[in-house]
Amino acid sequence: MSPLISSIAVVALLVFALLTMFAAVVQRRLMLRSLGRAQYRSSLFITCLNDYKSSVIWFQFVAGGGSLIWAVYEWIQHFTQAVHPVAEFGTLLLPTLALVFGLVVYANQLRPAGVILLGNSSSHRLRLQQRLLVEAAPFRTVSLLHRSPWGNNALASGHSFRTSIRSWERAVSNFAKAVGIVVLDLRGGTGWVEIETDTLRRLNLGYKLLVLPPMGGLDLSEVPAQAKIVYSEDDVVRIVKKCLLEPGFRATQECPISSWA
């Protein structure tokens, strides 16, 4: 690659890096406005500082951090040791690629959770999480689902907080309290899903809960108070988007989702 083309590529990557940081600032303002400052901070804390990250997320953090450190080191070395630092700008192509990679990883992984999807680990739940990640962006949909990082749901694999440290029940409780919406998928439920339901009922989080009932019907006495029962994934996506992306529809005890959805 010629020095001129390399230099143009470096400039283009730097512009992309600036746009990434600008988009992160805009997204933060949107999430603050939707969740409120207190809930935003709570969600950011539990998403970033916990022991529940899956191996995929830890790998992204390590790879992104290593890329940023190496990129900054190479940039400093270039401008302190190069004879003609501006003329040799194109030699920074690989460090700049690493810089962009690290920024994208951290802009993605440092987003607080806006939605948590609870249910047993299956392809249906994984596809629903991936759909919410795309359609409710920039709000992050997390789960405790087990998945393969290289399967058809690779996008969602970077947002699974499948806990292997401390208690799984604590992870459910912490995330459910911090996020803006909880989606409980009871299709094909197991005993573990019953524990999740009991946790939501004990914490009185029905006001921000969407329930997808099992095919055989649902005993309403088992549903947490104020919860909204929905019968299709399309309805889940529609309500999540309305609650998070439109002003005036934040789920609260005084204004539960079931009062307007």
Side-chain angles (χ1 to χ4, degrees):
M1 186 179 295
S2 69
L4 177 59
I5 295 177
S6 297
S7 298
I8 294 174
V10 169
V11 172
L13 287 170
L14 289 175
V15 171
F16 181 80
L18 289 173
L19 291 174
T20 298
M21 291 187 288
F22 175 76
V25 172
V26 173
Q27 290 173 2
R28 178 181 180 274
R29 291 179 178 176
L30 172 62
M31 288 184 280
L32 275 170
R33 184 169 64 250
S34 178
L35 298 177
R37 187 172 298 276
Q39 190 170 20
Y40 174 88
R41 288 177 175 174
S42 175
S43 182
L44 182 63
F45 178 83
I46 189 60
T47 306
C48 299
L49 303 176
N50 60 70
D51 298 326
Y52 312 131
K53 294 181 178 68
S54 68
S55 58
V56 176
I57 297 178
W58 280 118
F59 173 78
Q60 291 186 14
F61 265 99
V62 173
S67 297
L68 286 174
I69 292 172
W70 179 71
V72 171
Y73 173 79
E74 288 295 323
W75 271 77
I76 293 174
Q77 288 291 99
H78 176 80
F79 283 99
T80 56
Q81 296 184 4
V83 178
H84 303 289
V86 177
E88 299 172 4
F89 202 57
T91 60
L92 290 171
L93 180 58
L94 288 179
T96 308
L97 277 171
L99 175 68
V100 170
F101 171 76
L103 286 175
V104 170
V105 167
Y106 274 84
N108 185 41
Q109 288 297 345
L110 293 180
R111 282 185 298 153
V115 184
I116 185 168
L117 174 62
L118 300 175
N120 63 359
S121 299
S122 72
S123 59
H124 294 294
R125 249 66 66 198
L126 298 176
R127 284 196 294 268
L128 177 55
Q129 183 184 0
Q130 185 153 312
R131 182 178 175 186
L132 287 169
L133 278 166
V134 174
E135 297 198 35
F139 290 92
R140 186 178 185 186
T141 300
V142 301
S143 74
L144 304 177
L145 302 175
H146 177 70
R147 79 213 49 248
S148 168
W150 314 118
N152 294 330
N153 302 286
L155 172 63
S157 67
H159 303 275
S160 170
F161 289 73
R162 180 73 173 187
T163 179
S164 58
I165 306 175
R166 298 183 181 176
S167 77
W168 161 73
E169 292 89 343
R170 182 179 176 183
V172 173
S173 175
N174 287 342
F175 273 109
K177 289 186 291 186
V179 299
I181 299 179
V182 180
V183 179
L184 179 62
D185 192 340
L186 297 177
R187 297 173 297 179
T190 65
W192 299 112
V193 179
E194 292 176 5
I195 294 175
E196 293 174 339
T197 305
D198 291 339
T199 300
L200 297 172
R201 185 185 299 108
R202 174 173 52 84
L203 295 173
N204 295 318
L205 298 178
Y207 67 92
K208 59 178 177 180
L209 175 62
L210 301 178
V211 180
L212 276 164
M215 296 297 295
L218 181 65
D219 184 353
L220 296 180
S221 64
E222 298 178 357
V223 179
Q226 296 184 306
K228 172 67 177 178
I229 300 175
V230 292
Y231 295 94
S232 72
E233 295 184 0
D234 289 339
D235 285 338
V236 170
V237 173
R238 176 182 59 81
I239 294 171
V240 167
K241 291 172 65 176
K242 188 177 186 67
C243 188
L244 296 179
L245 298 176
E246 296 185 23
F249 289 96
R250 183 193 306 174
T252 64
Q253 291 279 6
E254 297 73 25
C255 184
I257 293 177
S258 57
S259 67
W260 54 262

